[in-house]
Amino acid sequence: MFNKILIANRGEIACRVIDTARAMGLRTVAVFSDADAGARHVAMADEAVHIGGPAPAESYLRGDAIIAAARATGAEAIHPGYGFLSENPDFVEAVEAAGLVFVGPSAAAIRKMGLKDAAKHLMEEAGVPVVPGYHGPNQDPEHLSGAADAIGYPVLIKAVAGGGGKGMRKVDDPARFFEALEGAKGEAATAFGNDAVLIEKFIEKPRHIEVQVFGDGTRAVHLFERDCSLQRRHQKVIEEAPAPGMTAEMRAAMGQAAVRAAEAIGYAGAGTVEFIVDGADGLRPDGFWFMEMNTRLQVEHPVTEAITGVDLVEWQLRVAAGEALPARQTDLAIGGHAFEARLYAEDVPRGFLPATGTLAHLAFPDIARCDTGVRAGDTISPWYDPMIAKIVVHGPTREVALKRLDRALSGTEVAGCVTNLAFLRALARHEGFAAGDVDTGLIDRDLESLAADPLACSRSRALAALGVLGLHRGAQPLQGFRLWAPLRRGTQFTYRGEQVAARVETLDAGRFRVEIDAACHEIARDGDRWRIDGQAVAATLVAHGAGVSVFWGNGYHFEPVDPLQVAAEAATGSGVITAPMPGLVKAVHVAPGQSVAAGDRLAILEAMKMEHTLTAWRDGVIAEVLAEAGQQVDEGAALIALEELEEEDEGETA
Ligand code: ADP
């Protein structure tokens, strides 16, 4: 076994490989770009080497720099993770030429599976079923159109060098064939520098079922299947193992086909053979076809690990170090059911737009395996894939595992950047998905309801008001306040850019009445939990750098109107607006006697080169204006006073 390995990757997969390497007693070397100097994978590794700028081409794709780092640190092997250089045969050759071990298949095996058309020929020869279609060299549009007619519509045009769904077009109508062909070729030329395409029969209710294989260069075993049919734009969203509805007969047929595929190319290490399955009327042993082979560890490998108990990275390292296959086919069995959900920083209602941001708060549930490359305080940068974590659950049955997925997702807390968490949770609760009725079109068919962003109810908003006022922490004794008068405070914050005004009355320690919108709720702290209107609720309230979040099934995020002003108001707790910091009064917008509503602009203070708008934090009447435009004021200076509230509440608790 090696003493030291280098991980040529970043993010969750680098961390995941380091975990296993460390458990095996190996020392680890991380590599990092300028953008990742403080990243989790760097902190986890025993050593780390800086390899260049933030763009992948300047760092994680620089094979020469990575090999140099391995040599400089004395690493004996390089684990590529997935993506980046993991399927680059030239890199494999360079690693070997440097006298190092590449943890993965040979360059030759990668090349054989690199292009979809060549791979299909090879698979046909090996007796693996392939999707009916044309994958020959003739790229003449007339010829391709003739092939499409022969196959029968609808057809799928695919770039032979394709990946990630690029250069792919479905054609329903022969009249539109040439137009689609041009589109696919153009996209393929731009994305892959190769505009060759193949034509396939389009499978009407397709399911994506893939088989995990593992080889030692000669022999291979399979570790059963994963169903990755829950996709959006050909990107996997939730994966599971085993596939719902799978029969023993079909599993054996698919497993054997996958092993044949791996052995046909002398495959070493972990690989995945992807099949497309016709789900139109149940799973049939003659209803699956080879799509492609991924010659690396796959993002969704944890679901296979969960059901087989195998650590695939451990196997990778053992086989790369020269050991024989760690198990025979008969040693392998399926235990229970597993799901993986991919948690991304993306704005679902805005068309799944990738998002960036600093993770002001991040907490994962205990009931799931959460593979992540980030910690609270880390930034999701625009340079890399915006994945935050993979949430993996396991249970004795699919039903139990799915319930755990739902619970794990609702127990996942992220604040500081938008995520697809609510979307994942809606999927976990989708009826068709629960019934195992999955195909690649499921998400698109129900996109509207799945992508709907849940709205914070008045109870969540009321909780947020406590957080904004800092009343949520520990017991809040009434010391410092007149015990005979209930303490009332107004506050404002924003929810999705809209202002929310609330009035909070402290009834006694840890008990509050909150008026918000048109509602009024009584909230009481109950140990670590909350009771709202007498009912215990499973909500958590977290105040963090970016505001306040209420996690209650979904995450609802609230921002202070102006952190400086809120602090100033909270500090005074009275009807007096004070200067939050020394500054220049730029303008005063109100006069004594004037009625104002919560949120109205009162004055503008220029401080620290910025203008801060001071707004009314409750409805009221201006009692006094104590500052004028042009005046320099000290921190804490009283600027504007609101008339005292009516005495209606006085004496209530006397
Ligand atoms: P890429 O390499 O670009 O990801 P794949 O060949 O792996 O492309 O296909 C991606 C996805 O497209 C599949 O998971 C499946 O959902 C869909 N797909 C591929 N081939 C077909 C087909 N013949 N019929 C229907 N859907 C298909």
Side-chain angles (χ1 to χ4, degrees), residues 116 120 131-132 154-156 158-159 161-168 170 192 200-209 228-229 231 233-236 274-276 289 291-292 294 439-441:
K116 290 184 204 282
K120 283 196 163 155
V131 190
V155 297
L156 198 63
K158 271 190 196 177
K166 286 206 187 83
M168 200 143 87
K170 179 185 174 203
F192 316 110
E200 266 178 18
K201 171 94 194 136
F202 182 82
I203 310 296
E204 284 291 358
K205 202 186 174 199
R207 284 177 64 175
H208 174 121
I209 301 182
C228 311
S229 299
Q231 303 183 350
R233 304 233 168 111
H234 308 301
Q235 304 285 335
K236 297 163 185 174
E274 295 189 337
F275 294 101
I276 187 155
W289 302 277
M291 267 198 304
E292 65 177 347
N294 291 319
D439 69 272
T440 60

Tab-separated table of all heavy atoms in Angstrom, residues 116 120 131-132 154-156 158-159 161-168 170 192 200-209 228-229 231 233-236 274-276 289 291-292 294 439-441, ligand 1:
chain	number	residue	atom	x	y	z
A	116	LYS	N	-18.597	8.284	-27.812
A	116	LYS	CA	-19.791	7.457	-27.709
A	116	LYS	C	-19.923	6.482	-28.878
A	116	LYS	O	-20.402	5.362	-28.693
A	116	LYS	CB	-21.040	8.339	-27.655
A	116	LYS	CG	-21.193	9.143	-26.358
A	116	LYS	CD	-22.525	9.896	-26.370
A	116	LYS	CE	-22.544	11.106	-25.472
A	116	LYS	NZ	-22.711	10.863	-24.056
A	120	LYS	N	-19.783	2.388	-28.558
A	120	LYS	CA	-20.937	1.574	-28.937
A	120	LYS	C	-20.542	0.397	-29.816
A	120	LYS	O	-21.055	-0.718	-29.646
A	120	LYS	CB	-21.949	2.439	-29.672
A	120	LYS	CG	-22.687	3.282	-28.681
A	120	LYS	CD	-23.923	3.842	-29.291
A	120	LYS	CE	-24.811	4.302	-28.165
A	120	LYS	NZ	-25.726	5.333	-28.589
A	131	VAL	N	-28.448	1.033	-27.814
A	131	VAL	CA	-29.690	1.642	-28.310
A	131	VAL	C	-29.691	1.556	-29.832
A	131	VAL	O	-28.696	1.910	-30.472
A	131	VAL	CB	-29.784	3.126	-27.909
A	131	VAL	CG1	-31.171	3.684	-28.208
A	131	VAL	CG2	-29.451	3.324	-26.446
A	132	PRO	N	-30.812	1.118	-30.434
A	132	PRO	CA	-30.875	1.065	-31.887
A	132	PRO	C	-30.567	2.450	-32.456
A	132	PRO	O	-31.050	3.459	-31.937
A	132	PRO	CB	-32.322	0.677	-32.177
A	132	PRO	CG	-32.865	0.131	-30.902
A	132	PRO	CD	-32.036	0.684	-29.781
A	154	PRO	N	-39.717	9.256	-32.658
A	154	PRO	CA	-38.726	10.302	-32.423
A	154	PRO	C	-37.304	9.742	-32.301
A	154	PRO	O	-37.129	8.616	-31.867
A	154	PRO	CB	-39.160	10.935	-31.109
A	154	PRO	CG	-39.923	9.860	-30.410
A	154	PRO	CD	-40.567	9.028	-31.476
A	155	VAL	N	-36.334	10.589	-32.688
A	155	VAL	CA	-34.938	10.187	-32.553
A	155	VAL	C	-34.198	11.216	-31.699
A	155	VAL	O	-34.691	12.318	-31.463
A	155	VAL	CB	-34.226	10.067	-33.922
A	155	VAL	CG1	-34.843	8.985	-34.781
A	155	VAL	CG2	-34.183	11.416	-34.649
A	156	LEU	N	-33.019	10.799	-31.269
A	156	LEU	CA	-32.167	11.694	-30.490
A	156	LEU	C	-30.857	11.839	-31.247
A	156	LEU	O	-30.255	10.841	-31.648
A	156	LEU	CB	-31.923	11.071	-29.113
A	156	LEU	CG	-31.437	11.981	-28.003
A	156	LEU	CD1	-32.462	13.061	-27.687
A	156	LEU	CD2	-31.163	11.162	-26.735
A	158	LYS	N	-27.049	12.942	-30.930
A	158	LYS	CA	-26.098	13.106	-29.815
A	158	LYS	C	-24.703	13.351	-30.340
A	158	LYS	O	-24.270	12.684	-31.276
A	158	LYS	CB	-25.990	11.794	-29.019
A	158	LYS	CG	-26.945	11.622	-27.898
A	158	LYS	CD	-26.530	10.390	-27.088
A	158	LYS	CE	-27.657	9.943	-26.202
A	158	LYS	NZ	-27.305	8.726	-25.457
A	159	ALA	N	-23.990	14.266	-29.704
A	159	ALA	CA	-22.588	14.490	-30.047
A	159	ALA	C	-21.792	13.262	-29.607
A	159	ALA	O	-21.956	12.791	-28.482
A	159	ALA	CB	-22.070	15.722	-29.312
A	161	ALA	N	-18.771	13.143	-28.890
A	161	ALA	CA	-17.850	13.550	-27.823
A	161	ALA	C	-18.620	14.125	-26.637
A	161	ALA	O	-18.038	14.684	-25.726
A	161	ALA	CB	-16.870	14.596	-28.348
A	162	GLY	N	-19.957	13.974	-26.664
A	162	GLY	CA	-20.830	14.675	-25.722
A	162	GLY	C	-20.635	14.329	-24.262
A	162	GLY	O	-20.029	13.335	-23.897
A	163	GLY	N	-21.188	15.184	-23.459
A	163	GLY	CA	-21.201	15.020	-22.015
A	163	GLY	C	-22.063	16.123	-21.441
A	163	GLY	O	-22.195	17.184	-22.051
A	164	GLY	N	-22.675	15.838	-20.291
A	164	GLY	CA	-23.480	16.862	-19.622
A	164	GLY	C	-24.678	17.314	-20.448
A	164	GLY	O	-25.185	18.411	-20.279
A	165	GLY	N	-25.136	16.443	-21.337
A	165	GLY	CA	-26.337	16.767	-22.100
A	165	GLY	C	-26.106	17.768	-23.230
A	165	GLY	O	-27.034	18.171	-23.915
A	166	LYS	N	-24.865	18.157	-23.455
A	166	LYS	CA	-24.588	19.141	-24.516
A	166	LYS	C	-24.522	18.455	-25.877
A	166	LYS	O	-24.087	17.321	-25.999
A	166	LYS	CB	-23.254	19.841	-24.247
A	166	LYS	CG	-23.321	20.832	-23.131
A	166	LYS	CD	-22.248	21.914	-23.305
A	166	LYS	CE	-22.190	22.814	-22.100
A	166	LYS	NZ	-21.384	22.255	-21.020
A	167	GLY	N	-24.950	19.195	-26.891
A	167	GLY	CA	-24.913	18.666	-28.252
A	167	GLY	C	-25.939	17.570	-28.463
A	167	GLY	O	-25.734	16.653	-29.246
A	168	MET	N	-27.050	17.673	-27.738
A	168	MET	CA	-28.075	16.629	-27.814
A	168	MET	C	-29.382	17.283	-28.252
A	168	MET	O	-29.738	18.351	-27.749
A	168	MET	CB	-28.223	16.027	-26.420
A	168	MET	CG	-28.841	14.680	-26.396
A	168	MET	SD	-28.068	13.662	-25.119
A	168	MET	CE	-29.012	14.095	-23.738
A	170	LYS	N	-33.555	16.263	-29.358
A	170	LYS	CA	-34.613	15.302	-29.647
A	170	LYS	C	-35.380	15.804	-30.863
A	170	LYS	O	-35.687	16.993	-30.945
A	170	LYS	CB	-35.548	15.199	-28.443
A	170	LYS	CG	-36.696	14.252	-28.662
A	170	LYS	CD	-37.673	14.278	-27.490
A	170	LYS	CE	-38.883	13.429	-27.834
A	170	LYS	NZ	-40.071	13.770	-27.074
A	192	PHE	N	-16.998	20.738	-27.559
A	192	PHE	CA	-16.037	19.631	-27.564
A	192	PHE	C	-15.012	19.697	-28.691
A	192	PHE	O	-14.149	18.823	-28.808
A	192	PHE	CB	-16.773	18.280	-27.649
A	192	PHE	CG	-17.967	18.195	-26.740
A	192	PHE	CD1	-19.261	18.178	-27.246
A	192	PHE	CD2	-17.793	18.165	-25.361
A	192	PHE	CE1	-20.357	18.127	-26.403
A	192	PHE	CE2	-18.893	18.115	-24.512
A	192	PHE	CZ	-20.174	18.092	-25.033
A	200	GLU	N	-29.897	8.131	-32.400
A	200	GLU	CA	-30.439	7.040	-31.595
A	200	GLU	C	-31.946	7.076	-31.607
A	200	GLU	O	-32.546	8.143	-31.708
A	200	GLU	CB	-30.019	7.220	-30.124
A	200	GLU	CG	-28.786	6.485	-29.740
A	200	GLU	CD	-28.396	6.746	-28.293
A	200	GLU	OE1	-29.234	7.215	-27.492
A	200	GLU	OE2	-27.238	6.463	-27.985
A	201	LYS	N	-32.527	5.938	-31.422
A	201	LYS	CA	-33.967	5.864	-31.189
A	201	LYS	C	-34.224	6.577	-29.866
A	201	LYS	O	-33.503	6.364	-28.888
A	201	LYS	CB	-34.361	4.385	-31.089
A	201	LYS	CG	-35.769	4.152	-30.650
A	201	LYS	CD	-36.687	3.979	-31.851
A	201	LYS	CE	-38.141	4.097	-31.435
A	201	LYS	NZ	-38.918	4.931	-32.377
A	202	PHE	N	-35.227	7.438	-29.831
A	202	PHE	CA	-35.555	8.084	-28.558
A	202	PHE	C	-36.474	7.165	-27.765
A	202	PHE	O	-37.525	6.747	-28.251
A	202	PHE	CB	-36.235	9.442	-28.787
A	202	PHE	CG	-36.534	10.150	-27.493
A	202	PHE	CD1	-35.545	10.872	-26.846
A	202	PHE	CD2	-37.789	10.041	-26.898
A	202	PHE	CE1	-35.795	11.497	-25.631
A	202	PHE	CE2	-38.047	10.662	-25.683
A	202	PHE	CZ	-37.050	11.386	-25.052
A	203	ILE	N	-36.044	6.845	-26.572
A	203	ILE	CA	-36.841	5.965	-25.722
A	203	ILE	C	-37.908	6.821	-25.046
A	203	ILE	O	-37.603	7.825	-24.414
A	203	ILE	CB	-35.956	5.280	-24.653
A	203	ILE	CG1	-34.707	4.644	-25.293
A	203	ILE	CG2	-36.742	4.267	-23.840
A	203	ILE	CD1	-34.967	3.523	-26.253
A	204	GLU	N	-39.180	6.407	-25.187
A	204	GLU	CA	-40.279	7.292	-24.795
A	204	GLU	C	-40.411	7.531	-23.298
A	204	GLU	O	-40.679	8.634	-22.861
A	204	GLU	CB	-41.611	6.763	-25.348
A	204	GLU	CG	-41.786	7.034	-26.833
A	204	GLU	CD	-41.971	8.515	-27.174
A	204	GLU	OE1	-41.998	9.352	-26.253
A	204	GLU	OE2	-42.082	8.833	-28.377
A	205	LYS	N	-40.277	6.496	-22.494
A	205	LYS	CA	-40.374	6.763	-21.050
A	205	LYS	C	-39.054	6.293	-20.447
A	205	LYS	O	-38.989	5.258	-19.795
A	205	LYS	CB	-41.583	6.036	-20.458
A	205	LYS	CG	-42.035	6.687	-19.156
A	205	LYS	CD	-43.136	5.929	-18.451
A	205	LYS	CE	-43.408	6.570	-17.090
A	205	LYS	NZ	-44.113	5.678	-16.171
A	206	PRO	N	-37.994	7.052	-20.727
A	206	PRO	CA	-36.673	6.541	-20.376
A	206	PRO	C	-36.364	6.590	-18.886
A	206	PRO	O	-36.731	7.533	-18.194
A	206	PRO	CB	-35.729	7.466	-21.147
A	206	PRO	CG	-36.482	8.712	-21.381
A	206	PRO	CD	-37.943	8.368	-21.364
A	207	ARG	N	-35.726	5.548	-18.458
A	207	ARG	CA	-35.158	5.545	-17.109
A	207	ARG	C	-33.655	5.390	-17.267
A	207	ARG	O	-33.184	4.669	-18.135
A	207	ARG	CB	-35.712	4.381	-16.290
A	207	ARG	CG	-37.129	4.640	-15.815
A	207	ARG	CD	-37.686	3.465	-15.077
A	207	ARG	NE	-36.935	3.188	-13.845
A	207	ARG	CZ	-37.313	2.251	-12.975
A	207	ARG	NH1	-38.391	1.523	-13.201
A	207	ARG	NH2	-36.604	2.042	-11.882
A	208	HIS	N	-32.948	6.098	-16.418
A	208	HIS	CA	-31.489	6.020	-16.447
A	208	HIS	C	-31.075	5.080	-15.317
A	208	HIS	O	-31.216	5.410	-14.149
A	208	HIS	CB	-30.903	7.423	-16.255
A	208	HIS	CG	-29.407	7.447	-16.130
A	208	HIS	ND1	-28.598	8.157	-16.979
A	208	HIS	CD2	-28.575	6.843	-15.248
A	208	HIS	CE1	-27.330	7.984	-16.628
A	208	HIS	NE2	-27.292	7.191	-15.569
A	209	ILE	N	-30.623	3.901	-15.688
A	209	ILE	CA	-30.162	2.947	-14.675
A	209	ILE	C	-28.716	2.595	-15.009
A	209	ILE	O	-28.405	2.230	-16.145
A	209	ILE	CB	-31.058	1.689	-14.634
A	209	ILE	CG1	-32.504	2.101	-14.322
A	209	ILE	CG2	-30.540	0.703	-13.578
A	209	ILE	CD1	-33.483	0.939	-14.201
A	228	CYS	N	-30.906	6.738	-11.687
A	228	CYS	CA	-30.652	8.185	-11.708
A	228	CYS	C	-31.649	8.851	-12.632
A	228	CYS	O	-31.316	9.726	-13.427
A	228	CYS	CB	-29.237	8.473	-12.182
A	228	CYS	SG	-27.981	7.495	-11.354
A	229	SER	N	-32.887	8.412	-12.573
A	229	SER	CA	-33.889	8.931	-13.507
A	229	SER	C	-34.390	10.318	-13.133
A	229	SER	O	-34.948	11.008	-13.976
A	229	SER	CB	-35.080	7.972	-13.590
A	229	SER	OG	-34.641	6.714	-14.055
A	231	GLN	N	-33.967	13.591	-13.180
A	231	GLN	CA	-33.031	14.502	-13.829
A	231	GLN	C	-33.738	15.785	-14.242
A	231	GLN	O	-34.935	15.789	-14.484
A	231	GLN	CB	-32.454	13.875	-15.103
A	231	GLN	CG	-31.755	12.557	-14.881
A	231	GLN	CD	-31.147	12.015	-16.174
A	231	GLN	OE1	-31.407	12.528	-17.262
A	231	GLN	NE2	-30.341	10.968	-16.054
A	233	ARG	N	-32.875	18.671	-17.169
A	233	ARG	CA	-31.973	18.983	-18.275
A	233	ARG	C	-30.801	18.007	-18.306
A	233	ARG	O	-29.654	18.424	-18.367
A	233	ARG	CB	-31.435	20.395	-18.158
A	233	ARG	CG	-32.510	21.423	-18.065
A	233	ARG	CD	-32.307	22.499	-19.108
A	233	ARG	NE	-33.485	23.312	-19.190
A	233	ARG	CZ	-33.541	24.590	-18.788
A	233	ARG	NH1	-32.487	25.162	-18.312
A	233	ARG	NH2	-34.651	25.254	-18.908
A	234	HIS	N	-31.069	16.720	-18.189
A	234	HIS	CA	-30.054	15.658	-18.248
A	234	HIS	C	-29.062	15.719	-17.099
A	234	HIS	O	-28.014	15.093	-17.156
A	234	HIS	CB	-29.315	15.673	-19.591
A	234	HIS	CG	-30.248	15.663	-20.764
A	234	HIS	ND1	-31.156	14.657	-20.961
A	234	HIS	CD2	-30.435	16.545	-21.759
A	234	HIS	CE1	-31.865	14.920	-22.044
A	234	HIS	NE2	-31.457	16.064	-22.545
A	235	GLN	N	-29.368	16.487	-16.054
A	235	GLN	CA	-28.497	16.515	-14.877
A	235	GLN	C	-29.199	15.765	-13.755
A	235	GLN	O	-30.378	15.992	-13.499
A	235	GLN	CB	-28.250	17.967	-14.420
A	235	GLN	CG	-27.681	18.880	-15.484
A	235	GLN	CD	-26.211	18.620	-15.747
A	235	GLN	OE1	-25.499	18.112	-14.894
A	235	GLN	NE2	-25.760	18.948	-16.948
A	236	LYS	N	-28.445	14.901	-13.095
A	236	LYS	CA	-29.040	14.099	-12.029
A	236	LYS	C	-29.346	14.966	-10.806
A	236	LYS	O	-28.568	15.855	-10.462
A	236	LYS	CB	-28.093	12.971	-11.646
A	236	LYS	CG	-27.858	12.012	-12.818
A	236	LYS	CD	-26.640	11.144	-12.596
A	236	LYS	CE	-26.380	10.298	-13.845
A	236	LYS	NZ	-25.141	9.536	-13.742
A	274	GLU	N	-23.518	3.083	-17.945
A	274	GLU	CA	-24.846	3.704	-17.947
A	274	GLU	C	-25.726	3.056	-19.006
A	274	GLU	O	-25.315	2.916	-20.157
A	274	GLU	CB	-24.729	5.197	-18.256
A	274	GLU	CG	-23.994	5.981	-17.180
A	274	GLU	CD	-24.079	7.497	-17.378
A	274	GLU	OE1	-24.316	7.957	-18.520
A	274	GLU	OE2	-23.916	8.212	-16.399
A	275	PHE	N	-26.924	2.710	-18.584
A	275	PHE	CA	-27.886	2.131	-19.514
A	275	PHE	C	-29.128	3.002	-19.564
A	275	PHE	O	-29.482	3.648	-18.576
A	275	PHE	CB	-28.321	0.735	-19.053
A	275	PHE	CG	-27.221	-0.289	-19.069
A	275	PHE	CD1	-26.578	-0.657	-17.902
A	275	PHE	CD2	-26.835	-0.890	-20.264
A	275	PHE	CE1	-25.571	-1.612	-17.912
A	275	PHE	CE2	-25.828	-1.851	-20.286
A	275	PHE	CZ	-25.194	-2.211	-19.097
A	276	ILE	N	-29.760	2.982	-20.703
A	276	ILE	CA	-31.067	3.602	-20.771
A	276	ILE	C	-32.069	2.455	-20.803
A	276	ILE	O	-31.830	1.427	-21.427
A	276	ILE	CB	-31.202	4.546	-21.976
A	276	ILE	CG1	-32.517	5.289	-21.884
A	276	ILE	CG2	-31.067	3.811	-23.290
A	276	ILE	CD1	-32.489	6.589	-22.622
A	289	TRP	N	-30.382	-0.715	-22.722
A	289	TRP	CA	-29.347	-0.528	-23.738
A	289	TRP	C	-28.197	0.307	-23.201
A	289	TRP	O	-28.420	1.266	-22.459
A	289	TRP	CB	-29.944	0.156	-24.967
A	289	TRP	CG	-31.089	-0.612	-25.554
A	289	TRP	CD1	-31.012	-1.662	-26.417
A	289	TRP	CD2	-32.489	-0.404	-25.304
A	289	TRP	NE1	-32.270	-2.128	-26.724
A	289	TRP	CE2	-33.195	-1.371	-26.050
A	289	TRP	CE3	-33.210	0.486	-24.515
A	289	TRP	CZ2	-34.587	-1.463	-26.039
A	289	TRP	CZ3	-34.587	0.399	-24.498
A	289	TRP	CH2	-35.257	-0.563	-25.256
A	291	MET	N	-25.533	3.078	-22.884
A	291	MET	CA	-25.412	4.476	-23.327
A	291	MET	C	-23.951	4.887	-23.352
A	291	MET	O	-23.439	5.359	-24.329
A	291	MET	CB	-26.173	5.412	-22.397
A	291	MET	CG	-27.586	5.680	-22.842
A	291	MET	SD	-28.276	7.144	-22.044
A	291	MET	CE	-28.082	6.770	-20.326
A	292	GLU	N	-23.282	4.761	-22.205
A	292	GLU	CA	-21.867	5.100	-22.156
A	292	GLU	C	-21.268	4.550	-20.870
A	292	GLU	O	-21.986	4.128	-19.969
A	292	GLU	CB	-21.650	6.612	-22.233
A	292	GLU	CG	-22.205	7.377	-21.048
A	292	GLU	CD	-21.891	8.868	-21.142
A	292	GLU	OE1	-21.058	9.268	-21.973
A	292	GLU	OE2	-22.482	9.623	-20.364
A	294	ASN	N	-18.654	5.619	-17.763
A	294	ASN	CA	-17.862	6.647	-17.102
A	294	ASN	C	-16.701	5.957	-16.405
A	294	ASN	O	-16.897	5.134	-15.513
A	294	ASN	CB	-18.708	7.426	-16.106
A	294	ASN	CG	-19.734	8.286	-16.838
A	294	ASN	OD1	-19.420	8.893	-17.862
A	294	ASN	ND2	-20.944	8.308	-16.344
A	439	ASP	N	-39.184	8.371	-14.134
A	439	ASP	CA	-38.575	8.389	-15.458
A	439	ASP	C	-37.939	9.761	-15.606
A	439	ASP	O	-38.158	10.642	-14.767
A	439	ASP	CB	-39.600	8.096	-16.563
A	439	ASP	CG	-40.586	9.217	-16.730
A	439	ASP	OD1	-41.622	9.223	-16.035
A	439	ASP	OD2	-40.315	10.104	-17.546
A	440	THR	N	-37.164	9.953	-16.664
A	440	THR	CA	-36.379	11.184	-16.757
A	440	THR	C	-37.255	12.418	-17.015
A	440	THR	O	-36.778	13.537	-16.935
A	440	THR	CB	-35.304	11.095	-17.858
A	440	THR	OG1	-35.971	10.869	-19.099
A	440	THR	CG2	-34.336	9.952	-17.599
A	441	GLY	N	-38.532	12.217	-17.304
A	441	GLY	CA	-39.414	13.354	-17.572
A	441	GLY	C	-40.196	13.809	-16.344
A	441	GLY	O	-40.915	14.806	-16.397
B	1	ADP	P1	-24.297	13.002	-21.748
B	1	ADP	O1	-23.027	12.207	-21.937
B	1	ADP	O2	-24.304	14.295	-22.513
B	1	ADP	O3	-24.707	13.138	-20.326
B	1	ADP	P2	-25.945	10.665	-22.184
B	1	ADP	O4	-25.773	9.863	-23.392
B	1	ADP	O5	-25.338	10.148	-20.905
B	1	ADP	O6	-25.426	12.152	-22.468
B	1	ADP	O7	-27.473	10.948	-21.927
B	1	ADP	C1	-27.922	11.838	-20.920
B	1	ADP	C2	-29.383	11.635	-20.621
B	1	ADP	O8	-30.178	11.839	-21.798
B	1	ADP	C3	-29.768	10.255	-20.155
B	1	ADP	O9	-29.572	10.075	-18.784
B	1	ADP	C4	-31.221	10.173	-20.547
B	1	ADP	O10	-32.004	10.868	-19.615
B	1	ADP	C5	-31.277	10.945	-21.843
B	1	ADP	N1	-31.136	10.053	-23.016
B	1	ADP	C6	-29.995	9.623	-23.561
B	1	ADP	N2	-30.228	8.792	-24.605
B	1	ADP	C7	-31.556	8.706	-24.747
B	1	ADP	C8	-32.447	8.021	-25.650
B	1	ADP	N3	-31.985	7.253	-26.628
B	1	ADP	N4	-33.773	8.161	-25.475
B	1	ADP	C9	-34.264	8.943	-24.485
B	1	ADP	N5	-33.504	9.621	-23.631
B	1	ADP	C10	-32.158	9.517	-23.727
